[in-house]
Amino acid sequence: QGPWKPALDWAAAAPCKSFEPPHDSRRLSAVDSSKRNAFHLAARATLSPEDPKPKEMLALPPKRPVGRQTGLGDALSSYAGKTHSGTEANRARAASASLDRCRAAAAEAAEELARGGTGGTSSESAALAVASAAYGDDTGLTEAALENCSRDLRRYARELLAISRRVPDADAALDGFLCEWDDGWATPSKTNPRDATRGLGSRFRRALRNDRKKPTVNKASRQRGGLRLERGATLYNLAACEAAQGCQQDRSSEQGIKRACRHFQRSAGLFEHLRRTTRTAGRRGAACAWGCLVFEDDEADLLDLSSPCLDFCERLCLAQAQACYYEKAVAGQSVAPPIIARLAAHAAHLYWRARAVCSYVPEAENEAKLNELLGEEKCEDTDQLPPSYDTRKGVAGLDASWPCHAEFQARCFEAASSYWAAKSKAKDAEDHGEGYGLQVAYLDRCERECVAALKVASRPGAKRLSQDAIEQITDMRQAAATQRTAVARDNAQIYRETVPNWSDVTQVPRPLGARLAKATVPDACLVGAPGRTPEAMVSAVVPSDEISLLRGLLPRGARSALEAYADRCRRDARECQSRVADADDLVRAALQSLSLPQVVNDVDNAQNFATHGALPKGLRVATASSGEGLFGGSTGSSLLALQKKASELTQARLRSQAALTAARAYSGDASQHVRQRLAQITIDEADDDALLKVVSDDATKQQLAALDGAVGRSTKASVEETLTLSDDVTKAAQACREACSAVDRSGRGRRDAAKRVEVLASEEAQAAAKALDALCDAGLPLVAGDEPEVTRYRDSDDDDDTGDERPEDEDVLPLPPPPTTPRRDDTKTVEASRCVHAFLERRYASEMAPAFSEFAQALGDPRPAVEALASTASLLDEAKRRDPSYRSARDALEKVVAAARLFEELVSRLETRCTAHMNAASEADRRGSPPPKPGTTGLDA
């Protein structure tokens, strides 16, 4: 199989250590996994027994904060005190200390990343700290330390996004906050007072002296700005930390390869977001995109947050992720050679894209080193492999080690792709008997690509490439040449196929790339909600379990939108109540006009009275309300009850007459007062005579006899006295009763549904505010202008001559460009974003609309039910008119009801007259003087 198969790892080239040396890191081995692995390790000249296959990936330089890591909490408290109520302002003041601690933790993580665990001083730059580690210092960050750094950076990035979402124009609003960051890609010069070389150890100075020339340096760029710069620097450091975690993974196992690939793709996604945000500023530059303050004495440009530099970082991370997929395919030994060739081809394509970003003109090769690398066998036609980039454009300021590394890796993967394509053709030749000529051509191209890679390694800027990687590509070249010679000999002697020219892409096509590495879209809680429309952004945001320190602090525009939403819900709930009242009035008027349900109750009373003599329930209550109970406690004799009451009235009358006579004859001391009381007593004897005459009247006796008969039938029914109503009346009454019940149920359902809507509307305002607050923590913009606009971003505006269409640019829109001038006086007129309105519309559709739909279904149209009720009532009236039994029962029951009412009236009148006579007698029996009245005027008062 050759030494280049699983053992050859085309991501194994280490960078050279010059002005800005790249970061690299070895994977863990089984022997030294307990040791703290270096975050940035130098390439080993030979392979150690503990780590026989070092596979190095590049990390990226982080940014380093400058100065005191406080002030953000104070600025936020000051802003909240000016624009929010007392409760929200107190909440912001309480969160300010926690926010400063979070910022300090993120700054400490950035310092750790910049030092690389070397124990450098706080004044040394990230580039020089990496250089110090590259010269043999193995005290790097462990995987656990990197995980802690990532956690602190992610938390701070979430809080910064929450602030930018809750504070309109945060750079202008938080005017008391100013941050300073050193450019991660810049190195301070010796004339700069912040020169970090003064703090390096003697080992690093000896390494610089052994280089026999002074390193090329320029001024360090110190960036100053507000919250936008703070967010950009934090996201940049988080991306660099993800890349470092990818380098730190043990890729000897499949799970380690997956983890490394996941970290590289996350890093690429963050760099892509930063690049998009920078590119929205257009010609204004990265300093305007991130709100950097530019002074006249600032000579250094913004490098690490510039669009070309971020593009280089993104493409490099994608290339390393694709290299992980290639490693996994080769190590699995189950992937077909054509697929492996395609994976290697796309890895080469990504490395070429990273190389195309660098404005680096290749230097002339070192002839002595090139002869040493190529040996006796030389290929003179490698000039037919031109680089697929324009060296006149790209990011300036990067050291030659970065483009040399990218080009070396691209050449290596091109060679690997040609090799696996040759292996695929060998399999086809064995199966079909043809393809040996193409196999020779692919092996020839593989050898030429290896020679081109060795030429890159012989350049002065690439003299610190890994010796192990150079040996591996040399071994691959020799193996490809040996195999090509053998296949060409067999083809010339046996198969005699025409060998096409390896440089003719029409006859020897390059394998098409298989794109597996894609930039992972960052979490919405870090960079904001993805999507091109407000509806898409609301759908993409998922509330997180992690609560922001600023939970509950909403901008004025969002609060106004929430208040309007709550008013809308309450207004719709009141409309529901009004519709219910209208429906109830309609039903009530219809029932009153049809005399329902009294008509059905009359039929039931008549049926009960006709069948077993049962008296109506209301009638029993009326008669039982008399003083002596039903018929005075007698057993079915109302006349005896009345006569008993009449005799009581006669006795009371005699008693009052005797008392009045005695009072008139009294002549004692209180006679005057007695006469005054007698003058106030008035008893009409004529009323008593008329009432007693009615009781003893024959007509009254006949009516009471009918009542007595009805009571007797109700207590002891007689078969011969029963009547049976017709089925028409019974069925019509049942239908009318069911119609009344249906109308009643419909009314209760309407009222219950309206009540539920009213309760939901009263609770929805607070629930919507909590949900919007949670979505804001997850990245939803709340202020108008924070969401992206399609017209502000076009891929065609990107000045990219590399031919890379970058289909991943269609996934997520960037943030809008920053304002050119502060909007300090516009805080009172800030409107809610379209995303807030879209969220409230979706909230209304998901929460309130179902309740309104349920209410509309419960409300319905009461008119059909009323019409059905009127129809059943008319059928009942017609049935009652046709049924003689019902008429007889009705007439008899009416007589009983009239007699019961008469009995009740007479009993009540008799009791009233008895009471009047008893009061008169009691008053006439009094002989005492009334107590004197207290004086109200004069001396008595």
Side-chain angles (χ1 to χ4, degrees):
Q1 295 178 350
W4 58 86
K5 195 189 178 214
L8 287 177
D9 178 42
W10 305 118
C16 70
K17 318 297 186 298
S18 181
F19 146 64
E20 177 53 30
H23 304 225
D24 57 0
S25 177
R26 289 187 304 161
R27 63 176 174 84
L28 291 170
S29 64
V31 176
D32 58 357
S33 60
S34 60
K35 300 179 180 179
R36 297 180 63 201
N37 287 10
F39 174 45
H40 305 295
L41 294 180
R44 304 302 187 195
T46 58
L47 301 181
S48 62
E50 290 126 358
D51 195 3
K53 298 176 182 178
K55 302 178 180 181
E56 296 150 353
M57 294 286 187
L58 296 189
L60 296 165
K63 296 175 69 65
R64 166 171 284 176
V66 180
R68 187 173 60 96
Q69 305 306 319
T70 57
L72 181 58
D74 296 338
L76 183 64
S77 300
S78 176
Y79 164 79
K82 296 176 183 178
T83 59
H84 290 75
S85 62
T87 303
E88 296 177 344
N90 292 335
R91 185 184 296 114
R93 295 188 189 96
S96 61
S98 300
L99 186 62
D100 286 337
R101 287 194 296 269
C102 184
R103 183 169 187 253
E108 184 178 356
E111 289 284 355
E112 288 294 327
L113 290 175
R115 290 195 301 265
T118 61
T121 62
S122 60
S123 61
E124 72 180 16
S125 67
L128 291 179
V130 172
S132 176
Y135 280 96
D137 194 349
D138 290 345
T139 59
L141 294 178
T142 62
E143 186 175 352
L146 288 174
E147 187 65 30
N148 292 335
C149 292
S150 175
R151 180 197 60 205
D152 293 338
L153 291 170
R154 285 179 63 88
R155 181 186 176 190
Y156 187 49
R158 288 197 306 269
E159 297 299 337
L160 290 176
L161 179 65
I163 295 176
S164 64
R165 290 292 188 252
R166 299 172 190 275
V167 180
D169 192 11
D171 279 0
L174 305 179
D175 51 2
F177 171 68
L178 180 66
C179 65
E180 293 188 54
W181 293 85
D182 279 341
D183 197 313
W185 291 77
T187 305
S189 62
K190 291 186 177 180
T191 59
N192 196 311
R194 297 190 303 270
D195 190 358
T197 57
R198 299 177 183 176
L200 294 180
S202 58
R203 189 175 184 182
F204 180 49
R205 291 197 296 270
R206 285 197 305 269
L208 292 178
R209 286 197 299 270
N210 293 338
D211 195 21
R212 294 185 179 179
K213 85 172 182 179
K214 188 180 298 182
T216 304
V217 294
N218 67 345
K219 277 192 174 183
S221 176
R222 177 158 292 185
Q223 305 155 6
R224 303 172 183 86
L227 191 72
R228 268 184 293 157
L229 178 61
E230 186 81 359
R231 281 196 63 228
T234 303
L235 291 177
Y236 179 92
N237 284 340
L238 181 58
C241 185
E242 291 285 352
Q245 287 180 284
C247 296
Q248 197 75 352
Q249 299 301 318
D250 179 10
R251 301 196 313 278
S252 61
S253 63
E254 182 178 355
Q255 294 299 325
I257 294 177
K258 288 182 178 179
R259 288 193 298 270
C261 185
R262 182 167 60 249
H263 285 298
F264 284 128
Q265 291 180 116
R266 287 177 182 174
S267 179
L270 289 169
F271 281 123
E272 180 187 13
H273 169 76
L274 294 172
R275 174 181 60 83
R276 291 175 183 277
T277 307
T278 301
R279 197 168 63 176
T280 54
R283 297 182 180 275
R284 291 177 292 175
C288 181
W290 297 107
C292 295
L293 302 178
V294 180
F295 301 99
E296 294 181 357
D297 57 346
D298 288 343
E299 300 178 2
D301 295 331
L302 191 66
L303 182 60
D304 52 5
L305 291 178
S306 63
S307 181
C309 184
L310 295 171
D311 201 5
F312 173 79
C313 297
E314 174 194 349
R315 298 184 185 196
L316 183 62
C317 290
L318 283 177
Q320 296 184 148
Q322 183 73 15
C324 292
Y325 283 112
Y326 171 79
E327 290 179 10
K328 181 181 176 182
V330 172
Q333 299 182 357
S334 60
V335 183
I339 303 300
I340 301 179
R342 295 186 62 186
L343 292 175
H346 191 68
H349 169 78
L350 292 174
Y351 274 113
W352 280 126
R353 292 295 156 255
R355 171 63 183 89
V357 179
C358 304
S359 60
Y360 162 71
V361 178
E363 307 121 323
E365 292 86 1
N366 189 330
E367 293 296 335
K369 185 173 183 179
L370 181 61
N371 294 333
E372 178 185 356
L373 294 177
L374 296 181
E376 298 179 356
E377 300 179 4
K378 298 182 179 180
C379 294
E380 302 297 339
D381 53 353
T382 56
D383 294 337
Q384 299 183 31
L385 296 170
S388 57
Y389 53 83
D390 187 357
T391 58
R392 296 171 299 176
K393 296 183 178 181
V395 56
L398 296 184
D399 182 64
S401 58
W402 294 97
C404 288
H405 169 81
E407 186 172 352
F408 180 81
Q409 295 284 26
R411 296 293 186 188
C412 291
F413 276 104
E414 292 282 8
S417 177
S418 299
Y419 168 76
W420 287 102
K423 189 170 183 180
S424 174
K425 295 302 177 183
K427 178 65 175 177
D428 295 341
E430 292 178 2
D431 296 339
H432 306 287
E434 58 182 10
Y436 294 97
L438 280 177
Q439 184 181 359
V440 174
Y442 276 118
L443 291 173
D444 202 5
R445 177 183 292 172
C446 176
E447 182 184 3
R448 265 64 177 184
E449 292 288 356
C450 293
V451 173
L454 293 175
K455 284 187 176 183
V456 174
S458 66
R459 294 175 185 171
K463 60 184 178 180
R464 291 188 178 90
L465 283 174
S466 169
Q467 185 65 29
D468 178 65
I470 296 175
E471 291 177 358
Q472 288 185 4
I473 197 64
T474 303
D475 294 341
M476 182 174 214
R477 177 203 173 195
Q478 296 175 358
T482 302
Q483 190 170 356
R484 178 185 57 80
T485 302
V487 175
R489 184 176 59 252
D490 294 343
N491 181 58
Q493 295 177 359
I494 303 174
Y495 307 107
R496 297 182 180 277
E497 290 187 8
T498 302
V499 178
N501 187 359
W502 62 270
S503 60
D504 189 354
V505 294
T506 59
Q507 298 182 10
V508 188
R510 297 177 181 272
L512 297 176
R515 179 184 176 222
L516 295 184
K518 298 180 181 179
T520 302
V521 177
D523 295 338
C525 62
L526 298 177
V527 300
R532 289 181 175 271
T533 61
E535 292 76 11
M537 296 175 71
V538 173
S539 302
V541 174
V542 178
S544 176
D545 296 335
E546 300 173 351
I547 300 178
S548 171
L549 296 174
L550 303 181
R551 177 67 65 89
L553 191 69
L554 296 177
R556 181 177 289 104
R559 294 199 302 269
S560 300
L562 286 171
E563 292 174 359
Y565 173 74
D567 292 341
R568 175 187 178 186
C569 294
R570 288 191 291 267
R571 183 175 62 253
D572 293 345
R574 289 193 298 268
E575 181 65 22
C576 292
Q577 293 287 355
S578 177
R579 294 175 65 183
V580 167
D582 294 341
D584 289 343
D585 292 341
L586 176 63
V587 173
R588 189 181 301 108
L591 292 176
Q592 186 176 2
S593 64
L594 295 174
S595 300
L596 290 173
Q598 186 60 38
V599 174
V600 180
N601 295 335
D602 293 344
V603 173
D604 293 339
N605 293 335
Q607 184 178 9
N608 294 333
F609 182 76
T611 54
H612 50 81
L615 296 177
K617 182 178 180 180
L619 179 62
R620 286 195 226 169
V621 172
T623 56
S625 64
S626 61
E628 295 295 333
L630 185 62
F631 301 157
S634 62
T635 57
S637 179
S638 58
L639 182 59
L640 292 177
L642 283 178
Q643 290 176 354
K644 182 179 178 181
K645 285 291 182 181
S647 63
E648 292 179 358
L649 175 60
T650 302
Q651 294 176 3
R653 185 177 181 183
L654 294 175
R655 172 76 178 83
S656 65
Q657 290 176 355
L660 290 173
T661 301
R664 292 189 184 99
Y666 177 72
S667 60
D669 296 337
S671 60
Q672 184 179 357
H673 298 290
V674 171
R675 290 187 181 91
Q676 290 178 358
R677 284 195 293 270
L678 288 177
Q680 296 176 359
I681 298 174
T682 57
I683 296 179
D684 192 358
E685 300 290 342
D687 291 343
D688 297 339
D689 295 338
L691 181 57
L692 292 175
K693 184 178 180 180
V694 171
V695 172
S696 61
D697 190 37
D698 293 338
T700 302
K701 293 179 180 180
Q702 291 178 1
Q703 289 182 352
L704 295 180
L707 179 60
D708 293 342
V711 172
R713 289 182 64 244
S714 64
T715 56
K716 186 177 180 181
S718 177
V719 179
E720 59 272 8
E721 295 178 354
T722 59
L723 291 175
T724 303
L725 302 185
S726 64
D727 293 339
D728 294 341
V729 175
T730 305
K731 293 180 180 178
Q734 181 64 25
C736 192
R737 186 182 301 106
E738 292 177 355
C740 290
S741 300
V743 170
D744 184 60
R745 287 194 304 271
S746 177
R748 288 198 303 270
R750 287 193 301 269
R751 290 185 288 273
D752 293 343
K755 186 64 176 177
R756 288 193 295 270
V757 169
E758 183 180 6
V759 173
L760 181 61
S762 62
E763 297 175 352
E764 180 59 19
Q766 186 175 3
K770 291 182 178 179
L772 183 61
D773 211 352
L775 290 183
C776 177
D777 290 343
L780 190 71
L782 301 184
V783 181
D786 283 351
E787 67 266 84
E789 295 182 5
V790 178
T791 56
R792 291 181 175 179
Y793 180 82
R794 289 289 183 273
D795 284 341
S796 59
D797 298 336
D798 189 14
D799 190 8
D800 187 1
D801 297 335
T802 62
D804 184 9
E805 297 179 357
R806 307 185 65 75
E808 64 270 18
D809 285 351
E810 300 294 335
D811 297 340
V812 185
L813 277 176
L815 294 174
T820 56
T821 57
R823 299 175 298 177
R824 298 178 184 271
D825 298 333
D826 295 343
T827 55
K828 296 183 179 180
T829 59
V830 172
E831 297 181 356
S833 66
R834 292 175 298 167
C835 293
V836 172
H837 296 294
F839 161 74
L840 294 178
E841 288 295 333
R842 175 170 294 195
R843 177 85 183 181
Y844 188 88
S846 62
E847 298 295 335
M848 298 301 298
F852 289 133
S853 177
E854 181 183 355
F855 167 76
Q857 185 177 2
L859 177 65
D861 189 2
R863 289 175 295 181
V866 171
E867 293 175 358
L869 186 61
S871 177
T872 55
S874 63
L875 293 177
L876 178 60
D877 291 341
E878 184 66 24
K880 289 190 297 183
R881 284 194 297 270
R882 292 197 306 266
D883 187 11
S885 299
Y886 173 77
R887 291 197 300 272
S888 300
R890 181 194 60 191
D891 295 341
L893 184 59
E894 287 178 354
K895 293 179 181 179
V896 171
V897 171
R901 290 175 179 173
L902 177 62
F903 171 77
E904 181 181 2
E905 180 184 358
L906 293 176
V907 169
S908 177
R909 290 175 63 184
L910 289 172
E911 289 179 349
T912 302
R913 297 307 301 170
C914 289
T915 303
H917 284 289
M918 296 300 295
N919 292 337
S922 176
E923 189 69 18
D925 289 340
R926 291 174 58 188
R927 297 294 186 266
S929 301
K933 295 182 180 181
T936 58
T937 59
L939 295 178
D940 294 338

